[in-house]
Amino acid sequence: MATVEVSSFPVALLENEKTEVLEPATEEPLFLPLLASTVCGRGPLAGGWQPIKNVNDPHVKEIGEFAVAEYNKSSKTNLKFVRVVKGETQVVAGTNYRLDVAAKDGAVTKYYEAVVWEKPWENFRSLTSFKQIKGSHSRP
């Protein structure tokens, strides 16, 4: 294993790993943990969607509830959040959550795909997409 200096932070590289020198876009090492996990072959890849293993996690449920509440505000509807059916995350400048959520519309349960962008270090969340899933309760 070799160690190299990247913006004054040591990064361990496995022998026989292909590496390339990346020029930093800024002076600040904003994505160093992501770079280190990708170089070492562990962790999420930026831009790729990864399945959420536990949709019952309280944070995932909170994101689903947020999505339904924001949709209700913007569309003047009264959907009631039921549960997250399935979901994926995508590492961006923060995290995108793409969730299939069940919500009651009156007495009828309907299913929706919601995308929420979150930057927890800025206390920021934004509903970027919310649409009914036709013909099935979740994506195949």
mmCIF file of all heavy atoms in Angstrom, residues 49-77:
data_model
loop_
_atom_site.group_PDB
_atom_site.id
_atom_site.type_symbol
_atom_site.label_atom_id
_atom_site.label_comp_id
_atom_site.label_asym_id
_atom_site.label_seq_id
_atom_site.Cartn_x
_atom_site.Cartn_y
_atom_site.Cartn_z
ATOM 1 N N TRP A 49 -27.008 5.671 -8.453
ATOM 2 C CA TRP A 49 -28.093 5.387 -7.509
ATOM 3 C C TRP A 49 -27.797 4.095 -6.779
ATOM 4 O O TRP A 49 -27.453 3.091 -7.400
ATOM 5 C CB TRP A 49 -29.430 5.290 -8.228
ATOM 6 C CG TRP A 49 -29.952 6.599 -8.725
ATOM 7 C CD1 TRP A 49 -29.813 7.107 -9.992
ATOM 8 C CD2 TRP A 49 -30.670 7.576 -7.977
ATOM 9 N NE1 TRP A 49 -30.405 8.347 -10.065
ATOM 10 C CE2 TRP A 49 -30.944 8.665 -8.839
ATOM 11 C CE3 TRP A 49 -31.109 7.653 -6.659
ATOM 12 C CZ2 TRP A 49 -31.645 9.795 -8.428
ATOM 13 C CZ3 TRP A 49 -31.806 8.776 -6.244
ATOM 14 C CH2 TRP A 49 -32.070 9.834 -7.125
ATOM 15 N N GLN A 50 -27.939 4.127 -5.460
ATOM 16 C CA GLN A 50 -27.711 2.959 -4.604
ATOM 17 C C GLN A 50 -29.003 2.633 -3.859
ATOM 18 O O GLN A 50 -29.642 3.536 -3.317
ATOM 19 C CB GLN A 50 -26.601 3.253 -3.581
ATOM 20 C CG GLN A 50 -25.264 3.604 -4.192
ATOM 21 C CD GLN A 50 -24.678 2.457 -4.987
ATOM 22 O OE1 GLN A 50 -24.720 1.307 -4.556
ATOM 23 N NE2 GLN A 50 -24.140 2.756 -6.159
ATOM 24 N N PRO A 51 -29.390 1.348 -3.806
ATOM 25 C CA PRO A 51 -30.633 1.004 -3.110
ATOM 26 C C PRO A 51 -30.529 1.304 -1.614
ATOM 27 O O PRO A 51 -29.466 1.151 -1.016
ATOM 28 C CB PRO A 51 -30.794 -0.496 -3.355
ATOM 29 C CG PRO A 51 -29.488 -0.976 -3.869
ATOM 30 C CD PRO A 51 -28.721 0.190 -4.386
ATOM 31 N N ILE A 52 -31.632 1.721 -1.045
ATOM 32 C CA ILE A 52 -31.711 1.912 0.406
ATOM 33 C C ILE A 52 -32.036 0.551 1.004
ATOM 34 O O ILE A 52 -33.059 -0.051 0.664
ATOM 35 C CB ILE A 52 -32.790 2.950 0.775
ATOM 36 C CG1 ILE A 52 -32.389 4.327 0.240
ATOM 37 C CG2 ILE A 52 -33.000 2.987 2.291
ATOM 38 C CD1 ILE A 52 -33.455 5.393 0.414
ATOM 39 N N LYS A 53 -31.179 0.078 1.876
ATOM 40 C CA LYS A 53 -31.354 -1.262 2.441
ATOM 41 C C LYS A 53 -32.486 -1.328 3.460
ATOM 42 O O LYS A 53 -33.156 -2.333 3.584
ATOM 43 C CB LYS A 53 -30.049 -1.737 3.057
ATOM 44 C CG LYS A 53 -28.972 -2.011 2.023
ATOM 45 C CD LYS A 53 -27.690 -2.492 2.673
ATOM 46 C CE LYS A 53 -26.642 -2.900 1.684
ATOM 47 N NZ LYS A 53 -26.095 -1.881 0.864
ATOM 48 N N ASN A 54 -32.690 -0.245 4.221
ATOM 49 C CA ASN A 54 -33.714 -0.248 5.262
ATOM 50 C C ASN A 54 -34.645 0.943 5.080
ATOM 51 O O ASN A 54 -34.365 2.030 5.569
ATOM 52 C CB ASN A 54 -33.063 -0.214 6.650
ATOM 53 C CG ASN A 54 -34.080 -0.222 7.772
ATOM 54 O OD1 ASN A 54 -35.270 -0.428 7.550
ATOM 55 N ND2 ASN A 54 -33.617 0.004 8.994
ATOM 56 N N VAL A 55 -35.767 0.731 4.389
ATOM 57 C CA VAL A 55 -36.707 1.827 4.160
ATOM 58 C C VAL A 55 -37.478 2.182 5.425
ATOM 59 O O VAL A 55 -38.203 3.178 5.446
ATOM 60 C CB VAL A 55 -37.694 1.524 2.995
ATOM 61 C CG1 VAL A 55 -36.961 1.429 1.677
ATOM 62 C CG2 VAL A 55 -38.522 0.287 3.280
ATOM 63 N N ASN A 56 -37.321 1.407 6.487
ATOM 64 C CA ASN A 56 -37.963 1.714 7.764
ATOM 65 C C ASN A 56 -37.074 2.568 8.664
ATOM 66 O O ASN A 56 -37.474 2.912 9.781
ATOM 67 C CB ASN A 56 -38.354 0.425 8.490
ATOM 68 C CG ASN A 56 -39.393 -0.347 7.701
ATOM 69 O OD1 ASN A 56 -40.371 0.211 7.230
ATOM 70 N ND2 ASN A 56 -39.159 -1.639 7.534
ATOM 71 N N ASP A 57 -35.882 2.913 8.184
ATOM 72 C CA ASP A 57 -34.992 3.793 8.933
ATOM 73 C C ASP A 57 -35.729 5.105 9.222
ATOM 74 O O ASP A 57 -36.385 5.647 8.334
ATOM 75 C CB ASP A 57 -33.735 4.052 8.097
ATOM 76 C CG ASP A 57 -32.777 4.998 8.778
ATOM 77 O OD1 ASP A 57 -32.954 6.225 8.623
ATOM 78 O OD2 ASP A 57 -31.850 4.506 9.449
ATOM 79 N N PRO A 58 -35.639 5.623 10.444
ATOM 80 C CA PRO A 58 -36.367 6.855 10.777
ATOM 81 C C PRO A 58 -36.036 8.043 9.865
ATOM 82 O O PRO A 58 -36.927 8.839 9.546
ATOM 83 C CB PRO A 58 -35.943 7.143 12.222
ATOM 84 C CG PRO A 58 -35.552 5.812 12.774
ATOM 85 C CD PRO A 58 -34.978 5.049 11.614
ATOM 86 N N HIS A 59 -34.785 8.154 9.420
ATOM 87 C CA HIS A 59 -34.431 9.271 8.537
ATOM 88 C C HIS A 59 -35.095 9.123 7.170
ATOM 89 O O HIS A 59 -35.582 10.101 6.595
ATOM 90 C CB HIS A 59 -32.911 9.384 8.387
ATOM 91 C CG HIS A 59 -32.490 10.599 7.623
ATOM 92 N ND1 HIS A 59 -32.584 11.873 8.141
ATOM 93 C CD2 HIS A 59 -32.012 10.742 6.363
ATOM 94 C CE1 HIS A 59 -32.165 12.745 7.246
ATOM 95 N NE2 HIS A 59 -31.812 12.077 6.145
ATOM 96 N N VAL A 60 -35.138 7.913 6.643
ATOM 97 C CA VAL A 60 -35.791 7.662 5.352
ATOM 98 C C VAL A 60 -37.283 7.970 5.468
ATOM 99 O O VAL A 60 -37.872 8.616 4.592
ATOM 100 C CB VAL A 60 -35.553 6.213 4.882
ATOM 101 C CG1 VAL A 60 -36.353 5.896 3.627
ATOM 102 C CG2 VAL A 60 -34.064 5.972 4.651
ATOM 103 N N LYS A 61 -37.906 7.544 6.576
ATOM 104 C CA LYS A 61 -39.317 7.836 6.810
ATOM 105 C C LYS A 61 -39.533 9.359 6.879
ATOM 106 O O LYS A 61 -40.490 9.883 6.307
ATOM 107 C CB LYS A 61 -39.779 7.183 8.113
ATOM 108 C CG LYS A 61 -41.231 7.413 8.413
ATOM 109 C CD LYS A 61 -41.648 6.768 9.727
ATOM 110 C CE LYS A 61 -43.091 7.136 10.023
ATOM 111 N NZ LYS A 61 -43.497 6.784 11.368
ATOM 112 N N GLU A 62 -38.629 10.062 7.547
ATOM 113 C CA GLU A 62 -38.730 11.524 7.652
ATOM 114 C C GLU A 62 -38.669 12.183 6.269
ATOM 115 O O GLU A 62 -39.414 13.125 5.985
ATOM 116 C CB GLU A 62 -37.588 12.033 8.530
ATOM 117 C CG GLU A 62 -37.616 13.503 8.816
ATOM 118 C CD GLU A 62 -36.456 13.933 9.713
ATOM 119 O OE1 GLU A 62 -36.143 13.226 10.689
ATOM 120 O OE2 GLU A 62 -35.851 14.978 9.401
ATOM 121 N N ILE A 63 -37.807 11.671 5.395
ATOM 122 C CA ILE A 63 -37.702 12.210 4.029
ATOM 123 C C ILE A 63 -39.011 11.951 3.276
ATOM 124 O O ILE A 63 -39.514 12.822 2.564
ATOM 125 C CB ILE A 63 -36.498 11.582 3.273
ATOM 126 C CG1 ILE A 63 -35.174 11.912 3.960
ATOM 127 C CG2 ILE A 63 -36.487 11.999 1.817
ATOM 128 C CD1 ILE A 63 -34.733 13.340 3.849
ATOM 129 N N GLY A 64 -39.590 10.762 3.428
ATOM 130 C CA GLY A 64 -40.869 10.447 2.788
ATOM 131 C C GLY A 64 -41.996 11.337 3.286
ATOM 132 O O GLY A 64 -42.808 11.834 2.493
ATOM 133 N N GLU A 65 -42.047 11.561 4.595
ATOM 134 C CA GLU A 65 -43.063 12.450 5.168
ATOM 135 C C GLU A 65 -42.888 13.880 4.655
ATOM 136 O O GLU A 65 -43.869 14.564 4.337
ATOM 137 C CB GLU A 65 -42.979 12.432 6.701
ATOM 138 C CG GLU A 65 -43.433 11.116 7.298
ATOM 139 C CD GLU A 65 -43.133 10.992 8.785
ATOM 140 O OE1 GLU A 65 -42.228 11.699 9.305
ATOM 141 O OE2 GLU A 65 -43.802 10.178 9.433
ATOM 142 N N PHE A 66 -41.629 14.321 4.570
ATOM 143 C CA PHE A 66 -41.336 15.655 4.038
ATOM 144 C C PHE A 66 -41.851 15.779 2.601
ATOM 145 O O PHE A 66 -42.473 16.785 2.238
ATOM 146 C CB PHE A 66 -39.825 15.916 4.087
ATOM 147 C CG PHE A 66 -39.399 17.159 3.354
ATOM 148 C CD1 PHE A 66 -39.479 18.405 3.962
ATOM 149 C CD2 PHE A 66 -38.918 17.079 2.054
ATOM 150 C CE1 PHE A 66 -39.105 19.557 3.276
ATOM 151 C CE2 PHE A 66 -38.534 18.222 1.366
ATOM 152 C CZ PHE A 66 -38.629 19.467 1.978
ATOM 153 N N ALA A 67 -41.604 14.753 1.782
ATOM 154 C CA ALA A 67 -42.015 14.790 0.375
ATOM 155 C C ALA A 67 -43.530 14.963 0.251
ATOM 156 O O ALA A 67 -44.009 15.800 -0.521
ATOM 157 C CB ALA A 67 -41.552 13.526 -0.348
ATOM 158 N N VAL A 68 -44.284 14.194 1.019
ATOM 159 C CA VAL A 68 -45.748 14.274 0.947
ATOM 160 C C VAL A 68 -46.228 15.639 1.457
ATOM 161 O O VAL A 68 -47.092 16.279 0.830
ATOM 162 C CB VAL A 68 -46.402 13.115 1.731
ATOM 163 C CG1 VAL A 68 -47.920 13.302 1.824
ATOM 164 C CG2 VAL A 68 -46.078 11.774 1.056
ATOM 165 N N ALA A 69 -45.656 16.120 2.550
ATOM 166 C CA ALA A 69 -46.057 17.422 3.101
ATOM 167 C C ALA A 69 -45.771 18.557 2.114
ATOM 168 O O ALA A 69 -46.604 19.447 1.912
ATOM 169 C CB ALA A 69 -45.338 17.674 4.424
ATOM 170 N N GLU A 70 -44.599 18.525 1.480
ATOM 171 C CA GLU A 70 -44.251 19.569 0.509
ATOM 172 C C GLU A 70 -45.164 19.507 -0.713
ATOM 173 O O GLU A 70 -45.570 20.538 -1.241
ATOM 174 C CB GLU A 70 -42.782 19.446 0.084
ATOM 175 C CG GLU A 70 -41.798 19.864 1.151
ATOM 176 C CD GLU A 70 -41.938 21.332 1.527
ATOM 177 O OE1 GLU A 70 -41.784 22.198 0.644
ATOM 178 O OE2 GLU A 70 -42.227 21.605 2.715
ATOM 179 N N TYR A 71 -45.471 18.293 -1.159
ATOM 180 C CA TYR A 71 -46.384 18.150 -2.296
ATOM 181 C C TYR A 71 -47.759 18.715 -1.941
ATOM 182 O O TYR A 71 -48.376 19.435 -2.735
ATOM 183 C CB TYR A 71 -46.493 16.685 -2.722
ATOM 184 C CG TYR A 71 -47.447 16.507 -3.877
ATOM 185 C CD1 TYR A 71 -47.091 16.904 -5.164
ATOM 186 C CD2 TYR A 71 -48.710 15.979 -3.668
ATOM 187 C CE1 TYR A 71 -47.972 16.766 -6.227
ATOM 188 C CE2 TYR A 71 -49.605 15.842 -4.733
ATOM 189 C CZ TYR A 71 -49.224 16.227 -6.006
ATOM 190 O OH TYR A 71 -50.100 16.107 -7.047
ATOM 191 N N ASN A 72 -48.231 18.406 -0.733
ATOM 192 C CA ASN A 72 -49.521 18.930 -0.285
ATOM 193 C C ASN A 72 -49.537 20.456 -0.303
ATOM 194 O O ASN A 72 -50.512 21.058 -0.744
ATOM 195 C CB ASN A 72 -49.856 18.423 1.122
ATOM 196 C CG ASN A 72 -50.355 16.994 1.119
ATOM 197 O OD1 ASN A 72 -50.820 16.477 0.107
ATOM 198 N ND2 ASN A 72 -50.250 16.338 2.261
ATOM 199 N N LYS A 73 -48.461 21.081 0.163
ATOM 200 C CA LYS A 73 -48.391 22.551 0.186
ATOM 201 C C LYS A 73 -48.447 23.136 -1.216
ATOM 202 O O LYS A 73 -49.165 24.096 -1.472
ATOM 203 C CB LYS A 73 -47.095 23.022 0.859
ATOM 204 C CG LYS A 73 -47.136 22.995 2.358
ATOM 205 C CD LYS A 73 -45.921 23.713 2.905
ATOM 206 C CE LYS A 73 -45.098 22.766 3.726
ATOM 207 N NZ LYS A 73 -43.860 23.357 4.212
ATOM 208 N N SER A 74 -47.660 22.556 -2.125
ATOM 209 C CA SER A 74 -47.557 23.133 -3.467
ATOM 210 C C SER A 74 -48.764 22.833 -4.342
ATOM 211 O O SER A 74 -49.076 23.602 -5.247
ATOM 212 C CB SER A 74 -46.280 22.657 -4.162
ATOM 213 O OG SER A 74 -46.357 21.271 -4.425
ATOM 214 N N SER A 75 -49.456 21.729 -4.093
ATOM 215 C CA SER A 75 -50.576 21.352 -4.969
ATOM 216 C C SER A 75 -51.937 21.504 -4.298
ATOM 217 O O SER A 75 -52.956 21.185 -4.910
ATOM 218 C CB SER A 75 -50.395 19.909 -5.437
ATOM 219 O OG SER A 75 -50.473 19.046 -4.328
ATOM 220 N N LYS A 76 -51.934 21.954 -3.060
ATOM 221 C CA LYS A 76 -53.174 22.153 -2.301
ATOM 222 C C LYS A 76 -53.992 20.855 -2.214
ATOM 223 O O LYS A 76 -55.215 20.858 -2.382
ATOM 224 C CB LYS A 76 -53.982 23.295 -2.874
ATOM 225 C CG LYS A 76 -53.180 24.588 -2.942
ATOM 226 C CD LYS A 76 -54.014 25.800 -2.768
ATOM 227 C CE LYS A 76 -53.277 27.092 -2.947
ATOM 228 N NZ LYS A 76 -51.984 27.257 -2.403
ATOM 229 N N THR A 77 -53.288 19.748 -1.970
ATOM 230 C CA THR A 77 -53.940 18.455 -1.768
ATOM 231 C C THR A 77 -53.828 18.087 -0.290
ATOM 232 O O THR A 77 -53.223 18.814 0.500
ATOM 233 C CB THR A 77 -53.277 17.358 -2.635
ATOM 234 O OG1 THR A 77 -51.887 17.286 -2.310
ATOM 235 C CG2 THR A 77 -53.445 17.627 -4.111
#
